[in-house]
Amino acid sequence: MPAVCVPFVGRTAGALRAEAARAARLKPDLVEWRVDFFEGIARTADVVALAQELRNAAGVPLLFTRRSSREGGQPIALGEPEVVALYEAVCAARAADIVDAEMAGDRAHVQAVREAARAAGIALLLSFHDFAGTPPAGELLARFRQAQDLGADIGKLAVMPQSKADVLALLQATLQASETLDIPVAGMAMGALGAASRLCGGEFGSALTFGMGEAASAPGQMPVDALRAGLAVLREASARR
């Protein structure tokens, strides 16, 4: 079954601490800090210290993510070189367990984050998000392969389906990637149409799913308790095979 991740989307340190306290009660497998929501993102030392604090408070591994506005993230005042420097600082301090970088970004920037993660012994997740639609299954599979070719430890895709067929394309690509690549992959369709993929994605090879704690970080995320209940039903059914 997929690991369950709870995202943090607070804009202030106080809001983030409240999310971490709630996550500790929910006991997910890991948490994600979407730092692009944080109003203090430009203060590197504060980000590093808060990342360490949030991980300790949640009691589980931390995935550190800056999502760009082109892939559904919040606008920020930092340029891409400054974002890379922020990732390098987080890695140097070993303030996270996994870092998420967008594989569609500048190749030199992806390489810099990869090298920083490797030097610190931190896992690298390379991701791609399409909030406008869903590419064909073949293109999605190529994206998963790109993540592996770029040196990712985990590959992640999230798409916005316009039909049920789009959800099937995402699941098909996830299954093929999980069976043919050497790295774990995570695939999810967003929005109401894609909700089923968050529950059954593990049956198609997805290693990770996201459930909301205080708030969602992407359309279609369901409360983590409801997500867990659905996963438990699938787990029980699968055990009967």
Side-chain angles (χ1 to χ4, degrees):
M1 301 301 291
V4 174
C5 181
V6 168
F8 297 161
V9 295
R11 296 196 175 276
T12 66
L16 287 160
R17 291 182 181 111
E19 287 185 295
R22 177 169 172 75
R25 296 191 295 271
L26 293 171
K27 300 186 185 306
D29 298 299
L30 69 160
V31 294
E32 177 188 40
W33 183 13
R34 279 285 304 277
V35 73
D36 49 294
F37 281 89
F38 181 47
E39 65 183 18
I41 189 172
R43 301 190 297 271
T44 298
D46 290 353
V47 170
V48 170
L50 190 52
Q52 294 168 324
E53 181 182 344
L54 295 175
R55 177 174 57 181
N56 292 337
V60 293
L62 175 72
L63 167 62
F64 182 85
T65 302
R66 186 292 313 243
R67 184 69 57 236
S68 71
S69 56
R70 71 172 178 270
E71 294 199 16
Q74 302 296 299
I76 60 173
L78 302 182
E80 289 304 305
E82 294 168 304
V83 170
V84 172
L86 179 63
Y87 271 87
E88 290 173 334
V90 168
C91 289
R94 293 180 171 84
D97 302 278
I98 311 169
V99 292
D100 176 328
E102 294 169 357
M103 68 180 91
D106 183 279
R107 188 64 61 89
H109 293 166
V110 173
Q111 181 178 353
V113 174
R114 183 185 66 224
E115 291 176 355
R118 291 284 183 275
I122 291 172
L124 174 66
L125 184 154
L126 288 181
S127 61
F128 174 77
H129 301 74
D130 189 334
F131 274 75
T134 302
E139 291 184 24
L140 294 174
L141 180 58
R143 284 290 185 183
F144 278 127
R145 286 178 177 148
Q146 180 187 17
Q148 177 172 279
D149 292 344
L150 289 172
D153 298 296
I154 309 161
K156 177 196 168 191
L157 300 185
V159 299
M160 185 63 76
Q162 304 300 315
S163 66
K164 293 179 180 179
D166 285 345
V167 180
L168 288 175
L170 179 279
L171 293 173
Q172 178 186 347
T174 303
L175 178 61
Q176 287 182 269
S178 70
E179 292 178 338
T180 59
L181 300 183
D182 297 325
I183 61 172
V185 297
M188 57 214 68
M190 297 180 284
L193 270 174
S197 71
R198 297 184 182 277
L199 285 170
C200 71
E203 295 293 316
F204 293 84
S206 183
L208 182 64
T209 190
F210 290 76
M212 58 184 279
E214 293 288 332
S217 62
Q221 289 176 3
M222 61 192 73
V224 69
D225 288 340
L227 176 63
R228 274 225 180 94
L231 291 173
V233 170
L234 284 175
R235 185 180 295 112
E236 183 179 353
S238 298
R240 298 196 190 109
R241 293 174 183 170

